[in-house]
Amino acid sequence: MKSLTNGLFKNNDLIGRFLMTMLLSSNLYRNDFCSKLPSETPTVSSQSEFSILPSSLKSLSLDGHFCFEHNHHAANDFGNRYHFLPAAVLHPKSVLDISSVVRHVYEMGTASTLTIAARGRGHSLQGQAQAHLGVVIKMETLREQEICFHTGDLPYVDVSGGELWINILHEGLKHGLAPKSWTDYLHLTVGGTLSNAGISGQAFRHGPQINNVYELEVVTGTGEIVTCTKKHNADLFYGVLGGLGQFGIITRARISVEQAPKRVKWIRMLYSDFSIFCQDQEHLISSDNHFEYVEGFVIINRTGLLNNWRSTFSPKDPLQASKFQSEGKTLYCLEIAKYFNPEDSDTLNQRIEVLLEELKYIECTLFLSDVSYVEFLDRVHVSEIKLREIGLWEVPHPWLNLLIPKSRIHEFAQEVFGNILTDTSNGPVLIYPVNKSRWDSKTSMVTPQEDLVYLVAFLSSAVPSSTKSDGLEHILAQNRRILDFCDSTGLGVKQYLPHYNTQKEWRAHFGNKWEVFRKRKYKYDPLAILSPGQKIFQKEKAYL
Ligand code: FAD
């Protein structure tokens, strides 16, 4: 297993570059908030705990149905480390199903400990879409809203909250339309990414996915069905976007779209100087006329790097590229993409050459690829298929995702890439800047104070049972060191896809947004029924 894993992780193309991250709670071992909740293994509950629940829920008249048994799939997620068994899983067929169930649990009041978690694809990392002895709502079965594209001055698509982004892409291409802002992996649900932010290489230009929403339909924690926009029920609208599922369940979203390109020039190049790499990334995101997508990643001590790229990319200078040695070096890869249509390809290459002349990469490391828009956007899924085939998809994923202010990124890089990480063989380490002027500060999402922020994502996979550097304990300890460094030097870092165990930590995370967040919780989910796996609020009498 080990050699197979090492081989895979030496290949950035194969691993794909799962994005994003997850972070590692800064208090993973101090489980004070959820001390009642076990981790690591599925929770088996006593018969008495289950017995009251089904009869009460069974009395509801629904279009869909409940499952009370065989629900272990709802006690797992991509992180593969937290397992909370629910008492029931709802397979809703209508928004009314969701509303009825939430209202029913709300009306049970504080005498009941029952909570409810909407579950998208379950790609959370630390149980965020799970509900210990509660109800999990499988959002993908909600099909009331078809994917419906609308043209006009401001084209948009209406979709169900449980819809996968990959389905929206395929349906949109039939109309020549597509959303503007994506995640690196598209087999995620609309409700799941809008509850976080949805960040990828287009975010510098369009903002994250939460910035590209016109309207939401939400079932609040009292069971009320509310439609909200920037003008109508705006408080709920902004609260839900980036709201970690705390204020309501997104059942429908109206998302801004644009003309979809047919093809993409996908380009990679290497830097050995971190400052020059950052300068070029920042230059690229400062202009609208450059590339549509800007990301990057760090490669430490990797053998045969450029050879691995050849499965997808072609070197501009094959001879020199074959002589380039990556072993023993810390390198920074700039990854950019230019969208185009075949009829523009004559002028495109010249245009790209001019744009590349402005960059200061290591010349022989320029690699280019020409792929369809779908191939480009669905690139991580190719890796998923390969990893699933060899049993390396469903392993623990101790991801750590950080947003770092530009003014401190060099300090961060020096310590983390220079000292803490000795190689990047456990998975990709992404790094790219985003321009916050394109982000709406009214959403619930929390970012560092500065206008320019770097997303740094440590997307590690752990080899099960390994006690070496590819094992879970080692990776968690490394994440811990990174977070400790950030804390002790006061870098002003914020976690993306945050995970904490105590309300004190959540308060610190939200900073001056905490009071608004707390008041919204009280207003829209007064009994703290929704998304208990985030561990921000606890359903209990004292809350009232
Ligand atoms: P889940 O994990 O099922 O849910 C996430 C949270 O949202 C839970 O708290 C849940 O209760 C709540 N929730 C789910 N549905 C709803 C709803 N309809 N209404 C209200 N709350 C809801 N993120 C990025 O930003 N950019 C990336 O490029 C990116 N790449 C990724 C690549 C991979 C391989 C993976 C596994 C994840 C990636 N992510 C990325 C992270 C992703 O955004 C989160 O995992 C997110 O949670 C979406 O996953 P999901 O749809 O499975 O939601």
Side-chain angles (χ1 to χ4, degrees):
M1 173 75 92
K2 184 175 187 303
S3 59
L4 186 57
T5 312
N6 279 347
L8 276 169
F9 292 165
K10 278 173 185 151
N11 182 342
N12 245 314
D13 292 334
L14 186 58
I15 288 272
R17 332 168 34 253
F18 310 138
L19 260 232
M20 274 329 113
T21 338
M22 277 303 201
L23 47 91
L24 233 255
S25 148
S26 53
N27 268 313
L28 201 59
Y29 300 106
R30 272 190 283 141
N31 219 5
D32 45 347
F33 185 88
C34 65
S35 53
K36 284 178 280 178
L37 305 184
S39 63
E40 306 302 341
T41 48
T43 307
V44 178
S45 304
S46 71
Q47 190 58 39
S48 61
E49 278 176 296
F50 275 96
S51 53
I52 311 162
L53 174 68
S55 59
S56 148
L57 292 177
K58 271 179 195 161
S59 66
L60 295 173
S61 159
L62 301 171
D63 299 314
H65 66 279
F66 272 113
C67 277
F68 298 105
E69 290 175 343
H70 309 300
N71 286 328
H72 283 82
H73 58 92
N76 199 8
D77 56 30
F78 184 74
N80 216 350
R81 295 172 45 224
Y82 289 73
H83 305 283
F84 303 123
L85 193 64
V89 173
L90 172 68
H91 298 254
K93 277 217 172 119
S94 64
V95 176
L96 276 180
D97 281 356
I98 296 176
S99 164
S100 304
V101 171
V102 177
R103 189 179 299 273
H104 179 80
V105 172
Y106 175 66
E107 285 173 354
M108 289 165 93
T110 51
S112 159
T113 54
L114 212 57
T115 55
I116 299 175
R119 179 180 173 92
R121 257 286 158 110
H123 277 89
S124 292
L125 298 170
Q126 291 111 337
Q128 287 90 340
Q130 300 179 33
H132 177 60
L133 297 181
V135 176
V136 165
I137 304 184
K138 196 166 188 299
M139 295 304 294
E140 271 189 86
T141 60
L142 177 67
R143 293 272 163 203
E144 212 172 27
Q145 169 69 57
E146 297 289 320
I147 302 173
C148 200
F149 279 85
H150 299 260
T151 50
D153 288 347
L154 289 175
Y156 62 84
V157 58
D158 281 326
V159 293
S160 160
E163 195 56 78
L164 294 181
W165 288 97
I166 183 68
N167 296 339
I168 302 172
L169 172 64
H170 285 302
E171 187 59 29
L173 292 181
K174 294 179 192 164
H175 308 268
L177 295 170
K180 302 169 182 172
S181 189
W182 297 96
T183 44
D184 287 0
Y185 173 66
L186 305 190
H187 300 248
L188 305 168
T189 65
V190 168
T193 67
L194 294 186
S195 297
N196 287 296
I199 307 172
S200 183
Q202 302 86 4
F204 76 90
R205 172 177 282 211
H206 297 293
Q209 290 179 325
I210 52 172
N211 262 52
N212 292 275
V213 180
Y214 292 139
E215 185 179 293
L216 295 172
E217 179 188 76
V218 172
V219 175
T220 68
T222 59
E224 198 184 348
I225 303 172
V226 184
T227 300
C228 52
T229 67
K230 282 182 187 172
K231 297 221 164 102
H232 181 65
N233 294 320
D235 186 59
L236 181 61
F237 179 77
Y238 286 118
V240 165
L241 294 171
L244 306 175
Q246 294 305 301
F247 312 118
I249 297 174
I250 300 168
T251 48
R252 184 177 56 77
R254 177 165 292 178
I255 295 158
S256 163
V257 298
E258 64 182 1
Q259 291 293 321
K262 292 205 171 53
R263 298 203 64 82
V264 175
K265 283 274 182 204
W266 184 10
I267 305 170
R268 282 181 180 175
M269 60 206 77
L270 292 175
Y271 294 74
S272 53
D273 184 314
F274 185 69
S275 298
I276 298 175
F277 168 71
C278 292
Q279 267 168 30
D280 278 0
Q281 279 195 325
E282 290 174 22
H283 166 68
L284 288 170
I285 70 159
S286 68
S287 165
D288 266 353
N289 301 319
H290 283 128
F291 295 90
E292 278 81 11
Y293 161 100
V294 177
E295 288 199 7
F297 49 98
V298 184
I299 305 131
I300 304 175
N301 197 11
R302 184 76 60 88
T303 310
L305 174 71
L306 295 187
N307 260 341
N308 291 336
W309 286 5
R310 286 172 193 257
S311 56
T312 312
F313 298 85
S314 304
K316 181 90 191 302
D317 182 344
L319 183 65
Q320 290 306 317
S322 65
K323 292 182 188 162
F324 184 80
Q325 294 291 327
S326 53
E327 201 171 329
K329 293 180 184 162
T330 297
L331 296 163
Y332 306 95
C333 174
L334 174 62
E335 182 174 72
I336 49 183
K338 185 102 193 120
Y339 298 169
F340 71 104
N341 289 321
E343 56 271 27
D344 307 324
S345 58
D346 285 350
T347 51
L348 180 86
N349 288 338
Q350 287 169 353
R351 172 95 187 107
I352 288 179
E353 275 198 21
V354 172
L355 292 175
L356 291 181
E357 272 169 24
E358 295 169 13
L359 306 177
K360 301 184 195 72
Y361 55 93
I362 304 169
E363 229 167 280
C364 69
T365 65
L366 179 63
F367 277 64
L368 299 103
S369 180
D370 182 336
V371 292
S372 73
Y373 188 48
V374 172
E375 279 174 290
F376 174 68
L377 289 180
D378 203 22
R379 58 200 179 275
V380 174
H381 186 53
V382 176
S383 307
E384 175 185 357
I385 293 168
K386 289 176 181 163
L387 290 169
R388 276 191 189 282
E389 275 169 12
I390 52 176
L392 287 178
W393 181 258
E394 284 166 9
V395 296
H397 291 106
W399 286 10
L400 177 67
N401 213 22
L402 302 173
L403 292 166
I404 298 161
K406 170 194 144 106
S407 67
R408 311 298 293 274
I409 191 67
H410 292 272
E411 214 176 316
F412 178 88
Q414 198 172 10
E415 174 64 14
V416 176
F417 309 145
N419 263 339
I420 299 179
L421 290 189
T422 48
D423 60 48
T424 46
S425 59
N426 288 327
V429 178
L430 307 184
I431 175 164
Y432 58 93
V434 286
N435 194 337
K436 265 180 46 202
S437 62
R438 306 290 166 100
W439 296 35
D440 196 331
S441 61
K442 291 191 205 128
T443 68
S444 291
M445 201 216 166
V446 177
T447 55
Q449 294 295 333
E450 293 180 15
D451 289 341
L452 218 143
V453 166
Y454 275 81
L455 175 73
V456 182
F458 302 87
L459 308 181
S460 308
S461 299
V463 173
S465 315
S466 169
T467 52
K468 304 199 180 121
S469 62
D470 53 6
L472 184 61
E473 290 312 315
H474 174 88
I475 299 169
L476 291 176
Q478 201 165 55
N479 290 347
R480 178 74 258 151
R481 276 184 74 193
I482 295 169
L483 288 170
D484 282 349
F485 169 73
C486 294
D487 281 352
S488 64
T489 46
L491 289 191
V493 164
K494 292 290 178 189
Q495 293 187 9
Y496 175 53
L497 309 173
H499 171 69
Y500 296 104
N501 288 309
T502 67
Q503 202 171 79
K504 191 174 164 216
E505 290 168 310
W506 279 112
R507 277 172 191 264
H509 171 76
F510 282 104
N512 59 14
K513 281 192 163 185
W514 170 253
E515 268 315 299
V516 173
F517 197 85
R518 197 185 61 82
K519 281 182 183 152
R520 282 180 176 152
K521 184 69 174 176
Y522 184 72
K523 187 171 174 190
Y524 301 113
D525 181 21
L527 295 187
I529 290 168
L530 301 176
S531 276
Q534 299 279 2
K535 299 186 217 155
I536 306 173
F537 301 97
Q538 217 173 2
K539 187 180 182 188
E540 56 184 11
K541 282 187 185 144
Y543 185 76
L544 286 175

